[in-house]
Amino acid sequence: MKNSALSRRAMLKGAGGACLALPLLDIMGGCNADLASKPQQFRGSGGVPKRFVVFWTPNGTIMQHWRPSGSESSFTLPRILQPLDPHKQDIVVLDGVDEMSAYKGPGDAHQKGTGQSLTATELQEGDFPGDGGKSAGWADGISVDQAIADVVGDQTKFRSLEFGVYVYGANVGSRISYRGPAQPIPPENDPTAAFNRIFADLESDPEAQMRRIAERKIVLDAVAADYQRLVKKVGAADRIKLEAHLAAVRDIEMRLETGGTIGGACEPPMLGEVADPLKVANIPKTGKLQMDLLAMALACDLTRVASIMWTNSATAKPFPWLNIPEGHHELAHRGDGDLDAQEKLTVINTWYCEQFAYLIEKLKSIPEGDGTVLDNTLLIWVNEHQKGNDHDRHEIPYVVAGKAGGAVKTGRWLQVPGERAHNDLWSGCMNVMGIEAKTFGNPIYCQSPLALG
């Protein structure tokens, strides 16, 4: 077929932040024509976008009350993970993955455990003071959430969203997300500020909303008309690509006609009165609001990558709502024989699990396609350490939730044998999200992507 002078069309922004662009066709020529199929890689079996969410907590856990018993598919959740029992078929308890890179490079154990949680590469030299006279700089690589956002982030209004719950200061112990080496992204601690940034467009007056919908529908009609004319000029392979793209355009148009938005079940949350997020006693209320905002940002398809960081590494803050006056970090450093500390740490980690279960339930409650938002999400609970009093970074306690559009096999206690670096976990997560990756972070720790399917 004779090549026409077709160029890739300008991106048309609209409809809740979705990007409508002519797919790259064979008729356009060039060695990258196969990239036209890439958007489908980032969707589940029903064509719904996949999402990636990190839920991060500090100071390790109590493994005897975290590790399940039984077999891979028939297991019993222990005390700390009991809040997840209603969601057993939606999770993978991932046991045996090591944060090997966090034993190398500058910094103390907490600096390494936090800065390398999502980057899987050593920290830079720097002057952030740590324990024992040690110091460090920022992480020396991109974090996995941002690596995923680099690929899928241009499909939504926000390439990623970072939420915090009482995260204070600006140092390596208060950052988990990095755009690149020494490029930390601060989390937003204030639910009001997060709400205003994320949902301002959805909170405009009804007349403005109707005008915006009408304007976007005009754009969609024009795009569909252009595609109908073009489809007569292309070959069979390009016709398949165009028809798939037209189906997506019609889906957007249908939602606009019914007054909906891209996320189908999108409905801006009611923020109400917000308690002071800078008060320790308000951490439970702040966390719940942040999770509500995160969940609805996904449902509205305003982002497909997000994280929530619960306090700092080595935080000294107490848990007054649990009747625990001691700081988390101080309790974590007490010996195994201190039964009072072990009990309080178990209560703290069970409470964090309850928050994780709340986010799971929130995502499960939002219908999407033939399932729910959780069905199309890869949500992972990440801890800074395995054990706090000796800073053990072997066998980090991870819990995965959601099927990522069918790419993850849930309802399992997955025990990973031998030494396996969390680099392989992150490359495995990228593969689940539809992104080809053989390694992640510092490649010297990589074997092969960890299969979650």
Side-chain angles (χ1 to χ4, degrees), residues 287-451:
K288 183 175 181 294
L289 282 175
Q290 297 287 60
M291 289 187 287
D292 289 346
L293 294 173
L294 188 161
M296 198 49 63
L298 299 182
C300 293
D301 203 28
L302 297 174
T303 192
R304 295 176 188 170
V305 178
S307 62
I308 182 166
M309 183 178 186
W310 292 82
T311 79
N312 293 42
S313 163
T315 180
K317 303 307 177 185
F319 292 74
W321 61 94
L322 298 177
N323 296 315
I324 297 177
E326 299 94 340
H328 191 183
H329 182 222
E330 187 267 321
L331 284 171
H333 272 269
R334 294 186 188 176
D336 292 349
D338 189 327
L339 299 185
D340 178 65
Q342 293 286 295
E343 172 61 21
K344 288 175 178 175
L345 289 167
T346 299
V347 170
I348 289 170
N349 280 281
T350 303
W351 182 80
Y352 275 132
C353 189
E354 289 170 355
Q355 309 318 299
F356 188 63
Y358 176 87
L359 183 54
I360 290 174
E361 183 59 40
K362 194 74 180 179
L363 298 179
K364 282 177 72 172
S365 71
I366 304 172
E368 183 174 60
D370 295 331
T372 69
V373 170
L374 180 68
D375 291 327
N376 300 302
T377 299
L378 178 60
L379 167 63
I380 183 164
W381 179 5
V382 180
N383 206 309
E384 173 193 4
H385 292 130
Q386 181 237 97
K387 186 179 177 184
N389 57 18
D390 60 4
H391 301 127
D392 194 346
R393 271 99 67 200
H394 291 97
E395 299 180 355
I396 297 291
Y398 296 103
V399 182
V400 175
K403 298 180 176 64
V408 176
K409 181 183 177 183
T410 56
R412 294 188 294 159
W413 170 30
L414 181 57
Q415 299 177 79
V416 180
E419 288 196 343
R420 194 73 179 274
H422 74 313
N423 304 65
D424 291 343
L425 169 60
W426 297 141
S427 59
C429 287
M430 293 181 72
N431 290 349
V432 163
M433 293 297 294
I435 302 168
E436 293 185 9
K438 294 182 179 179
T439 65
F440 182 79
N442 188 335
I444 69 171
Y445 303 107
C446 301
Q447 297 180 37
S448 61
L450 184 64

Side-chain angles (χ1 to χ4, degrees), residues 79 96 135 153 164 196 292 360:
R79 180 179 170 188
S135 64
N196 291 337
D292 289 346
I360 290 174

